[in-house]
Amino acid sequence: MQATLTALVAKAQADLAALKSRPEFEAAKARLVGPNGELTALMKQMGTVPKEERPAMGKLINETKGRLQELLDGALRQIEAGELQAQLGPSVDPTLPSPDAGPGTYHPLTLVREEMCRILRKVGFTVADGPEVETEFYCFDALNTPADHPARDAQDTFYFPETARFGNVSRKNPGEKYLLRTHTSSVQIRTMLKGAPPIRIVSPGRVYRRDTTDASHSANFHQLECLYVDRNVTVRDLKALLDYIFESLLGAGTKTRFRPHYFGYTEPSFEVDLSAKHLPKVNKEWIEIGGCGMVDPSVFETVGYDSTVWSGYAFGMGLERLAMTLYGIDDIRYFYQNDLRFLKQFA
Ligand code: DAH
């Protein structure tokens, strides 16, 4: 009997190792431990064993049963692993070299953003941040852009349904709608409401417009905003700062010019043009790069600053336009396509 049990285990071990599928497994299990299986048959022979040998034989049968169960469990695990492998497809050889080896690089927009922040930090600006999901107050009202202003037209950005709530984005007025910010100017308001002047911040970030994509438009692009609030700030300070940052970024010979314009939150307001003919691929004399002006007293009143004491300038510019000028890129869509042939040029 003992020899038969040992042989049973040895045979089971060999049979189970060869199993490939669940039906095969179920059949083998029935054959071994099922009610009509081999082990059950042996147990039935216990009656023929002499009485004094029965306890030892009972123990042996139990051990055999345990061992068979272990072997069955192991076989099932192996079949399951095989099934998973079949789902995952052919196995990967991790020792093969990557088809596209090499370190990652910074995205050109990141490079320009970081360089601008570095240039501005050198003259005392600190980096401020604001949410991309904004409320009407920070994006428009506080920036002296009332509800009937053309910039508020529903076409201009993406509004959330009135029921939408963003617990981490504070609202100034109850019932205000959330929207994707159209410009980084909202960070001006958030910063001023946080503390007293003087203020000197730069805030880069992503903005959204309901624009149809083409070579120079994208519904989602990046801006860089600056705000400076102190006593006796003049347009001359603004012009000097813009000359400094663009010369630092694009090199000596870069010029800026102001064209009168209208923005609700600055008075006077200007559009800023850039001339950098020394750069490769810049063949236009003037490239429009952003808007700026002296902070409108009504904005100061909204945030609780005394406009007879404080003065300031603000400007905002498009980072894509700047990177396109710097690197000679002629289509804004390259920035978002993740084409390595494009991105690797900035390594
Ligand atoms: N927010 C404006 C835009 O997106 C740009 C701008 C204009 C920013 C004047 C300013 C500013 O800070 O003073 O077109």
Side-chain angles (χ1 to χ4, degrees):
M1 181 89 155
Q2 186 163 0
T4 319
L5 287 172
T6 314
L8 179 62
V9 170
K11 187 166 164 293
Q13 200 156 14
D15 287 356
L16 291 176
L19 297 185
K20 296 243 164 346
S21 69
R22 278 176 198 260
E24 281 176 18
F25 171 80
E26 293 303 335
K29 186 174 167 185
R31 199 166 63 240
L32 288 168
V33 297
N36 301 316
E38 297 180 33
L39 185 68
T40 319
L42 288 173
M43 282 160 80
K44 284 179 188 156
Q45 290 175 22
M46 274 288 268
T48 66
V49 175
K51 217 175 186 165
E52 58 284 5
E53 287 178 26
R54 270 185 213 162
M57 203 49 73
K59 188 164 172 257
L60 204 58
I61 286 190
N62 273 340
E63 278 170 13
T64 306
K65 201 171 170 186
R67 181 75 189 113
L68 286 179
Q69 194 55 50
E70 273 171 29
L71 289 172
L72 285 165
D73 290 347
L76 187 60
R77 273 198 298 276
Q78 208 167 339
I79 288 169
E80 283 170 351
E83 284 171 351
L84 182 65
Q85 192 54 52
Q87 275 175 23
L88 294 176
S91 61
V92 175
D93 181 352
T95 63
L96 287 174
S98 155
D100 192 8
T105 59
Y106 284 109
H107 192 280
L109 289 175
T110 306
L111 291 172
V112 171
R113 182 193 72 205
E114 288 309 301
E115 181 62 7
M116 282 301 254
C117 288
R118 191 188 67 81
I119 290 166
L120 281 153
R121 273 198 204 99
K122 273 169 71 171
V123 286
F125 285 76
T126 52
V127 177
D129 202 8
E132 288 173 29
V133 170
E134 256 306 351
T135 72
E136 295 175 291
F137 174 80
Y138 295 101
C139 204
F140 298 128
D141 298 81
L143 288 162
N144 199 27
T145 309
D148 56 0
H149 193 276
R152 297 278 300 255
D153 193 301
Q155 293 294 315
D156 281 350
T157 186
F158 303 89
Y159 284 84
F160 289 90
E162 306 220 353
T163 49
R165 289 286 170 273
F166 297 88
N168 55 341
V169 182
S170 58
R171 285 187 300 172
K172 197 78 180 141
N173 306 314
E176 253 189 287
K177 267 190 281 177
Y178 287 104
L179 47 92
L180 291 176
R181 67 179 177 188
T182 55
H183 51 189
T184 43
S185 304
S186 51
V187 185
Q188 290 186 29
I189 304 301
R190 288 193 177 270
T191 306
M192 286 192 279
L193 283 173
K194 266 188 211 145
I199 280 177
R200 215 181 291 202
I201 55 128
V202 50
S203 187
R206 182 175 288 194
V207 300
Y208 302 81
R209 303 272 170 99
R210 238 191 232 196
D211 280 344
T212 304
T213 303
D214 62 22
S216 51
H217 293 88
S218 165
N220 136 15
F221 60 101
H222 299 77
Q223 286 189 334
L224 182 122
E225 188 87 13
C226 276
L227 172 68
Y228 178 39
V229 182
D230 209 329
R231 294 170 205 270
N232 305 319
V233 182
T234 66
V235 174
R236 203 159 63 164
D237 299 321
L238 169 59
K239 180 75 162 63
L241 187 87
L242 288 169
D243 284 342
Y244 157 74
I245 61 175
F246 288 125
E247 246 191 58
S248 306
L249 183 78
L250 306 175
T254 307
K255 285 184 289 194
T256 62
R257 78 172 180 191
F258 285 177
R259 274 179 296 106
H261 198 73
Y262 170 81
F263 296 106
Y265 32 102
T266 41
E267 180 57 36
S269 302
F270 311 99
E271 278 193 323
V272 188
D273 293 343
L274 200 61
S275 170
K277 293 207 76 161
H278 54 283
L279 290 177
K281 295 203 188 168
V282 172
N283 41 31
K284 275 205 277 183
E285 178 62 36
W286 294 104
I287 300 161
E288 185 194 320
I289 200 73
C292 67
M294 304 306 291
V295 179
D296 195 294
S298 69
V299 174
F300 283 147
E301 299 303 332
T302 303
V303 297
Y305 289 3
D306 184 346
S307 61
T308 61
V309 176
W310 301 107
S311 49
Y313 61 70
F315 61 85
M317 65 185 78
L319 275 180
E320 275 82 350
R321 184 73 67 84
L322 208 51
M324 287 165 88
T325 308
L326 177 61
Y327 297 120
I329 297 165
D330 55 13
D331 194 319
I332 197 171
R333 289 167 289 199
Y334 284 125
F335 289 122
Y336 318 118
Q337 285 164 341
N338 278 342
D339 186 333
L340 286 179
R341 290 168 301 182
F342 171 75
L343 295 174
K344 275 187 170 172
Q345 295 176 45
F346 306 93

Short mmCIF file of all heavy atoms in Angstrom, two decimals, residues 183 185 188 209 223 225 263 265-266 291-293 314-316, ligand 1:
data_model
loop_
_atom_site.label_atom_id
_atom_site.label_comp_id
_atom_site.label_asym_id
_atom_site.label_seq_id
_atom_site.Cartn_x
_atom_site.Cartn_y
_atom_site.Cartn_z
N HIS A 183 -7.16 84.26 -19.86
CA HIS A 183 -5.84 84.91 -19.76
C HIS A 183 -5.30 84.72 -18.34
O HIS A 183 -6.04 84.36 -17.42
CB HIS A 183 -5.90 86.39 -20.13
CG HIS A 183 -6.97 87.18 -19.40
ND1 HIS A 183 -7.29 88.46 -19.73
CD2 HIS A 183 -7.77 86.85 -18.35
CE1 HIS A 183 -8.24 88.89 -18.93
NE2 HIS A 183 -8.55 87.94 -18.07
N SER A 185 -4.30 87.08 -16.58
CA SER A 185 -4.52 88.33 -15.83
C SER A 185 -5.30 88.09 -14.54
O SER A 185 -5.22 88.89 -13.59
CB SER A 185 -5.26 89.35 -16.70
OG SER A 185 -4.54 89.58 -17.90
N GLN A 188 -3.40 88.36 -11.38
CA GLN A 188 -3.18 89.71 -10.81
C GLN A 188 -4.12 89.91 -9.63
O GLN A 188 -3.71 90.34 -8.55
CB GLN A 188 -3.50 90.79 -11.84
CG GLN A 188 -2.54 90.91 -13.00
CD GLN A 188 -2.90 92.13 -13.86
OE1 GLN A 188 -3.43 93.13 -13.37
NE2 GLN A 188 -2.60 92.05 -15.15
N ARG A 209 -9.14 79.62 -25.17
CA ARG A 209 -10.04 80.46 -25.98
C ARG A 209 -10.81 79.55 -26.91
O ARG A 209 -10.30 78.51 -27.32
CB ARG A 209 -9.25 81.45 -26.86
CG ARG A 209 -8.33 82.38 -26.12
CD ARG A 209 -9.01 83.65 -25.68
NE ARG A 209 -8.11 84.38 -24.78
CZ ARG A 209 -7.34 85.39 -25.14
NH1 ARG A 209 -7.37 85.81 -26.38
NH2 ARG A 209 -6.56 85.98 -24.26
N GLN A 223 0.42 81.75 -21.59
CA GLN A 223 0.75 83.17 -21.45
C GLN A 223 1.73 83.36 -20.30
O GLN A 223 1.93 82.45 -19.48
CB GLN A 223 -0.51 83.99 -21.15
CG GLN A 223 -1.42 84.18 -22.33
CD GLN A 223 -2.53 85.19 -22.03
OE1 GLN A 223 -2.91 85.40 -20.88
NE2 GLN A 223 -3.04 85.80 -23.07
N GLU A 225 2.31 86.46 -17.45
CA GLU A 225 1.73 87.70 -16.94
C GLU A 225 2.70 88.33 -15.95
O GLU A 225 3.34 87.62 -15.17
CB GLU A 225 0.43 87.36 -16.21
CG GLU A 225 -0.39 88.53 -15.78
CD GLU A 225 -1.33 88.98 -16.90
OE1 GLU A 225 -1.50 88.23 -17.87
OE2 GLU A 225 -1.89 90.07 -16.78
N PHE A 263 -7.52 98.01 -22.93
CA PHE A 263 -7.81 96.89 -22.04
C PHE A 263 -8.55 97.47 -20.84
O PHE A 263 -8.19 98.57 -20.38
CB PHE A 263 -6.53 96.19 -21.56
CG PHE A 263 -5.74 95.54 -22.66
CD1 PHE A 263 -4.55 96.12 -23.11
CD2 PHE A 263 -6.17 94.36 -23.25
CE1 PHE A 263 -3.83 95.53 -24.13
CE2 PHE A 263 -5.44 93.76 -24.28
CZ PHE A 263 -4.26 94.36 -24.72
N TYR A 265 -8.49 96.82 -17.80
CA TYR A 265 -7.78 96.86 -16.51
C TYR A 265 -6.52 97.70 -16.52
O TYR A 265 -5.79 97.73 -15.54
CB TYR A 265 -7.47 95.42 -16.06
CG TYR A 265 -7.22 94.46 -17.20
CD1 TYR A 265 -5.93 94.08 -17.54
CD2 TYR A 265 -8.29 93.95 -17.94
CE1 TYR A 265 -5.71 93.21 -18.60
CE2 TYR A 265 -8.08 93.09 -19.00
CZ TYR A 265 -6.79 92.71 -19.33
OH TYR A 265 -6.58 91.87 -20.38
N THR A 266 -6.22 98.34 -17.67
CA THR A 266 -5.07 99.24 -17.69
C THR A 266 -5.47 100.56 -18.33
O THR A 266 -6.34 100.61 -19.21
CB THR A 266 -3.89 98.62 -18.48
OG1 THR A 266 -4.40 97.97 -19.64
CG2 THR A 266 -3.10 97.65 -17.63
N GLY A 291 0.05 92.45 -24.53
CA GLY A 291 -0.61 93.69 -24.15
C GLY A 291 -0.07 94.16 -22.81
O GLY A 291 0.43 93.36 -22.01
N CYS A 292 -0.19 95.47 -22.57
CA CYS A 292 0.32 95.99 -21.30
C CYS A 292 -0.31 97.34 -20.99
O CYS A 292 -1.09 97.87 -21.78
CB CYS A 292 1.84 96.13 -21.36
SG CYS A 292 2.40 97.40 -22.51
N GLY A 293 0.04 97.88 -19.86
CA GLY A 293 -0.44 99.21 -19.51
C GLY A 293 -0.25 99.48 -18.04
O GLY A 293 0.32 98.67 -17.31
N ALA A 314 1.19 96.35 -15.70
CA ALA A 314 0.92 94.93 -15.91
C ALA A 314 1.14 94.63 -17.38
O ALA A 314 0.98 95.51 -18.23
CB ALA A 314 -0.52 94.59 -15.53
N PHE A 315 1.57 93.44 -17.65
CA PHE A 315 1.57 93.01 -19.06
C PHE A 315 1.37 91.51 -19.15
O PHE A 315 1.58 90.77 -18.20
CB PHE A 315 2.84 93.46 -19.81
CG PHE A 315 4.13 92.91 -19.27
CD1 PHE A 315 4.58 91.65 -19.67
CD2 PHE A 315 4.89 93.65 -18.40
CE1 PHE A 315 5.79 91.15 -19.20
CE2 PHE A 315 6.09 93.16 -17.92
CZ PHE A 315 6.54 91.90 -18.31
N GLY A 316 0.91 91.10 -20.32
CA GLY A 316 0.70 89.68 -20.59
C GLY A 316 1.13 89.40 -22.01
O GLY A 316 0.94 90.22 -22.90
N1 DAH B 1 -4.91 89.68 -20.86
C1 DAH B 1 -4.57 90.20 -22.16
C2 DAH B 1 -4.88 89.18 -23.21
O1 DAH B 1 -4.98 88.02 -22.91
C3 DAH B 1 -3.15 90.61 -22.21
C4 DAH B 1 -2.86 91.76 -21.30
C5 DAH B 1 -3.12 93.04 -21.68
C6 DAH B 1 -2.34 91.52 -20.04
C7 DAH B 1 -2.84 94.11 -20.84
C8 DAH B 1 -2.07 92.58 -19.18
C9 DAH B 1 -2.32 93.87 -19.61
O2 DAH B 1 -1.57 92.40 -17.96
O3 DAH B 1 -2.04 94.92 -18.78
O4 DAH B 1 -4.99 89.50 -24.37
#
